[in-house]
Each structure stands twice: as C-alpha cells, then as structure tokens.
Amino acid sequence: MSKEKGFVTEITPQSEDFSRWYIDVIKKAELMDYSPVRGCIVFRPEGYELWENMQRELDAKFKETGHRNAYFPLFIPESFFQKEKEHVEGFNPELPWVTEAAGEKLEERLAIRPTSETMIGHMYAKWIQSYRDLPVLINQWANVVRWEKRTLPFLRTSEFLWQEGHTAHENEEEARQETMQMLDVYTNFVENFLAIPVIKGEKTPSERFAGAVDTYSIEAMMKDGRAVQAGTSHYLGTKFAVAFDIKYLDRENTLQFCHTTSWGVSTRLIGALIMVHGDDRGLALPPKVAPTQVIMIPIGPAKTRDQVVGRVDELYAELKKAGVRVRVDDRSDVSPGWKFNEYEMRGVPLRLELGPRDMENGVVVLVSRITGEKRIVQQDNLLEEVQRMLDETQTEMYERAKSFRESNSRTVETLDEMKSFLEEQRGFVEAGWCGSEACEKQVKEETGATSRNIPFAPSAQKSTCLVCGDAAKHTVVFARAY
C-alpha cells in the first residue's frame, strides 16, 4: 500500500497554477528530468518515445516529398556567421562559443550550432555547379543549442532536438512552392497526427527568421490561452546564396544565384502536446503519437489470476500482431484502481479490463481516457473495436482543442478592447494592423502580446489598425506566447 501512495499523488490543478501543473505532469509521467547543466533536460524513455513517433511520421512525409537526410557538423566557424549580417545579429545573443581545445586557444572561435544555414550554405556552394544539380532537397535530424535566459522543459531549453530542412532551387517560384509545401506538411502533421488545430500565416517583418525574406508559421493555443509556434518555413531568397556564393550555370549558360529555403519543427511540439490536451488528471495523448495506445489490466481475485492473465496475453498477442502499441500490466502488488489512475495520468488513450466474469461472457471492457466512456465489447471483435475507439479518440481530441481555441479567441477593433479581453482571460486576438513596427511594438509593451502571424484565413478582415486607427494593411493574430 505504501507503494501506491508514493506514486499516485496529486497534480496541481490547471486553474490554480498552470505552470506548476505542467511541471508536475511531465515529472510524474516520467517524460524528462533536469540535468546538471542549466537549461538542459534529460529525455526519459517515455518522453523520447513521443519524439521518436513524431520523427518517424515526419521523416516518412519528408521522403514522400523527395527529401533525403544528411548530417552536418555541430561546430560552425565564427567567420561563417559574419557572412550574413542579419543572421548573426539574430542569433548572437544566444550563441555559445568554443574558444579552446586540447589545451590550446583556437585560432577561430567555433559556435555550437544554433541552426545550420551557414554550414549548409558553405557545403552547397561546393556541391552545386549547374542547373542539373538542382533542386537540392536535404533534411537534417540534429540537436541545436541556443543559450536561453529563461527556460521551460520541452518548450524552451538551451539544447533541444529538431529537424531542419534546407533546399536550393533554380528560381523564386520553385523555392516559394517548396516553402509553402513544407508549411502544409507541418500543418497536416500537427493537426492530423498530434490533434492540435493551428493557424497558418505569414510572420510580420519583426518576427521573421533572421536573414529570411519571408517566414511562415503555424500557431497553436495552449490551455492557458498562450501561443506556441508549432513550426516555421522560410523563403530565404538569394540572401544566403550571395553570402556563401551558391551559384549555378543556368540553361543559357549564365551564372545565377540559387534561391534557398529552410524549415523546421522541434521537441517543443512535446510541450505543446502536453499543454493542449492535458487535464487535471495528467497527460492525455492522441492515439497516433502515444507510446502506449492500449494498456491491458487483468482484474479479479487471486484464485482466477493465472486464467485471466493467460487470456490477456492471448489478446495482447492479437493486438500486437495488428500493429497496436499495447502493454500489459499484470503486477500483483498494486491494485487495479491504482493502475487505472497511473495510466490515466500517463495519458494512455485506451484501457482494457478483463476479469473472470468477462471471460465467462467472452467480452472485455474498454475505457476511454478522454471521455471516460466504458464499452463492453466481444473478444471476437476486439481489434475492430479497439481501432474504432482509437480513431474516435483522435478525432474527439482535435475537436475539443479546436472548440477551446474558438471559445478563447476574439476579434477586436482597438487596443483598449484587446487589453480588456486579455485582462479577463488569456487567448488569441485578431485585429487590424497598419504595418507600422511602432504600432506592433506598442501592442507588446502595453499587453505583453506579440504578433503570432498574419493568418491566411482570418475569421474577419479588419479595416483599421487597433493602435493608430489608420487603414489596416493586415489582419493579425496577437497572443502572449511561450
């Protein structure tokens, strides 16, 4: 009994302290632990398996669109950053430097990779000579380092894992098509695999990636109303090609600069997943990404244990063979009720219970983590019923998240309206913007909200700027963000 009390402990309610709830959940669900290095975390198996599932799905999508994986060095010469002024200015505050090695001072400082545009640009200049070499479509799975002042596990850490795609093209049209294609890949992945609704749009100039011509993003709302940038895709024009001399002979035998793109998502998606779907009982994981989709728990008195466990093992083998990610918890030293609480806290989408009476009737009990619904289903139809409930859970989680976002979003005409809304509740605000950086800055200073993006499909087109009242050039989504 002492073991039971030690594990299933209370989680801070979201309404009381959302940040504390988040830390409680990721620690109790054993997704991560703190490392001895400030701002860096250890991914425990439960957390890393989430990333593996995301990685597997995304990697398949990248390859379907013609991309191949490669790997580039972690260390980048300082001179590379000096070649693209905007880029180095954007990253300089976050760069850690290696200044000596093997007991000797280095002739040139080496940055620990914050992103790989410069290194990859250098290599592309060597590899690309002719239009026949284009397009170059490469993706890298890697770790990067950005020395953050304020950190939060998964969402903002000094070292994190990600993928970064880097492509080179003959012309602007092809490069822009690539940029939008990858934004669509991210949108479909986050919405259909992670069950998180997102807003697609273009970043304002002040929020663009350092050195990009245009940056596009998908933005997601957390349960505390804050935004998380869930993915970005950048059209870099010829800026990096000029800086790194990435040229090719075109079809008329004339030297041209390549048009390049970059795009990426990171392990911050794990943080977003937790904050979008979790509740006061803990994690709630969409079936498509959950490390364990079904937990099987035998129940009943000790005298029937062997018989029940034997049947559970048979059903387990059937589900496992069909590709369901399933586990059995047949421990006898903790009660079924304790196990129910544990796996609810861990976010397992579906629980299967089997007792002696169920065996007599040829049925099992399936319980949804999301709705709590219990279904008694025939063992002969188990696989079909499990797959149906997992599909229903995936859809239900997306719809709930979308409904939450809609009920916590407002359109406003003025900055005062925006302040009022954000004082009463957190959420997304759609408002008109004249295009002035001064007005955008004033919004941030007075509300703490930043422009998330200029949505491709706003709920309404605004005609006046919320700050100055001049004609609006864009309708913008504003929110406080992680």
Side-chain angles (χ1 to χ4, degrees), residues 40-253:
C40 296
I41 63 171
V42 175
F43 286 72
R44 300 189 67 173
E46 287 290 324
Y48 194 75
E49 200 166 331
L50 279 172
W51 181 238
E52 286 182 313
N53 290 343
M54 294 180 191
Q55 188 178 36
R56 190 178 302 115
E57 179 73 9
L58 275 172
D59 200 58
K61 298 299 182 189
F62 297 158
K63 286 169 180 170
E64 283 174 15
T65 48
H67 301 85
R68 301 180 70 191
N69 290 331
Y71 186 79
F72 297 85
L74 176 67
F75 302 111
I76 301 174
E78 183 175 14
S79 58
F80 282 24
F81 287 93
Q82 304 305 327
K83 291 182 179 182
E84 216 299 317
K85 185 180 177 184
E86 287 182 60
H87 191 67
V88 70
E89 286 177 353
F91 280 105
N92 198 45
E94 300 173 345
L95 286 178
W97 295 98
V98 177
T99 58
E100 62 178 77
E104 295 182 3
K105 189 174 180 63
L106 297 179
E107 290 183 12
E108 180 179 10
R109 292 196 303 173
L110 300 174
I112 301 175
R113 173 176 55 215
T115 181
S116 297
E117 274 77 6
T118 57
M119 176 62 71
I120 291 174
H122 175 82
M123 300 310 299
Y124 281 8
K126 294 175 64 175
W127 299 344
I128 298 168
Q129 306 299 325
S130 161
Y131 71 89
R132 295 182 182 88
D133 300 323
L134 298 170
V136 176
L137 307 175
I138 284 180
N139 174 65
Q140 172 176 235
W141 293 96
N143 62 332
V144 294
V145 175
R146 297 178 186 175
W147 214 250
E148 301 281 359
K149 291 182 179 178
R150 297 179 60 190
T151 62
L152 186 63
F154 298 121
L155 284 171
R156 194 171 291 279
T157 50
S158 296
E159 179 192 17
F160 56 92
L161 308 179
W162 77 349
Q163 59 72 211
E164 49 179 322
H166 298 271
T167 68
H169 305 263
E170 285 188 63
N171 54 53
E172 178 175 349
E173 181 183 5
E174 287 184 14
R176 285 193 177 276
Q177 285 175 354
E178 166 78 6
T179 305
M180 301 314 297
Q181 172 186 246
M182 300 320 294
L183 189 70
D184 287 341
V185 166
Y186 289 153
T187 301
N188 292 332
F189 166 73
V190 174
E191 293 199 330
N192 298 325
F193 196 76
L194 305 185
I196 298 174
V198 295
I199 296 173
K200 274 199 302 186
E202 181 180 352
K203 286 288 192 182
T204 63
S206 68
E207 295 289 329
R208 280 182 196 142
F209 175 69
V213 174
D214 291 311
T215 289
Y216 302 90
S217 74
I218 52 174
E219 304 288 332
M221 182 188 288
M222 307 300 100
K223 273 193 174 172
D224 64 348
R226 288 182 177 265
V228 164
Q229 181 177 281
T232 52
S233 188
H234 317 284
Y235 169 60
L236 305 176
T238 58
K239 287 187 175 185
F240 284 87
V242 170
F244 289 90
D245 204 32
I246 312 172
K247 293 177 182 175
Y248 70 97
L249 277 174
D250 69 12
R251 296 160 201 272
E252 281 72 48
N253 216 33

Side-chain angles (χ1 to χ4, degrees), residues 247-413:
K247 293 177 182 175
Y248 70 97
L249 277 174
D250 69 12
R251 296 160 201 272
E252 281 72 48
N253 216 33
T254 303
L255 272 177
Q256 304 283 358
F257 286 109
C258 292
H259 290 252
T260 64
T261 79
S262 67
W263 30 273
V265 297
S266 75
T267 40
R268 71 172 7 216
L269 286 176
I270 297 175
L273 189 76
I274 297 161
M275 287 189 171
V276 168
H277 297 302
D279 57 28
D280 287 347
R281 290 177 290 156
L283 292 179
L285 299 175
K288 288 184 180 180
V289 74
T292 302
Q293 295 172 312
V294 180
I295 183 68
M296 304 180 74
I297 300 177
I299 57 177
K303 63 183 179 181
T304 64
R305 172 178 168 78
D306 289 346
Q307 186 181 8
V308 170
V309 169
R311 182 56 180 151
V312 165
D313 288 343
E314 291 172 356
L315 295 174
Y316 164 85
E318 178 186 334
L319 294 176
K320 186 80 171 176
K321 185 178 179 182
V324 178
R325 295 192 292 275
V326 58
R327 288 174 55 200
V328 175
D329 188 340
D330 58 3
R331 290 174 294 172
S332 58
D333 59 337
V334 289
S335 67
W338 184 86
K339 294 177 186 179
F340 297 168
N341 287 335
E342 177 183 2
Y343 292 107
E344 282 193 351
M345 182 272 295
R346 291 183 180 275
V348 177
L350 201 57
R351 183 172 80 237
L352 184 153
E353 303 169 14
L354 180 70
R357 187 174 298 176
D358 301 318
M359 285 188 62
E360 290 174 13
N361 296 328
V363 299
V364 299
V365 178
L366 297 178
V367 184
S368 166
R369 164 64 176 85
I370 300 304
T371 65
E373 177 192 3
K374 290 189 176 185
R375 290 186 193 173
I376 299 173
V377 303
Q378 295 296 317
Q379 293 178 19
D380 291 345
N381 298 328
L382 179 60
L383 178 59
E384 181 183 337
E385 294 295 336
V386 163
Q387 289 174 332
R388 178 182 292 114
M389 282 192 77
L390 290 176
D391 288 345
E392 290 172 0
T393 297
Q394 186 80 24
T395 301
E396 173 71 14
M397 292 182 76
Y398 177 81
E399 293 301 330
R400 285 189 178 197
K402 187 176 180 182
S403 176
F404 179 85
R405 188 188 72 189
E406 289 172 352
S407 63
N408 289 279
S409 296
R410 295 287 186 277
T411 61
V412 303
E413 300 298 330

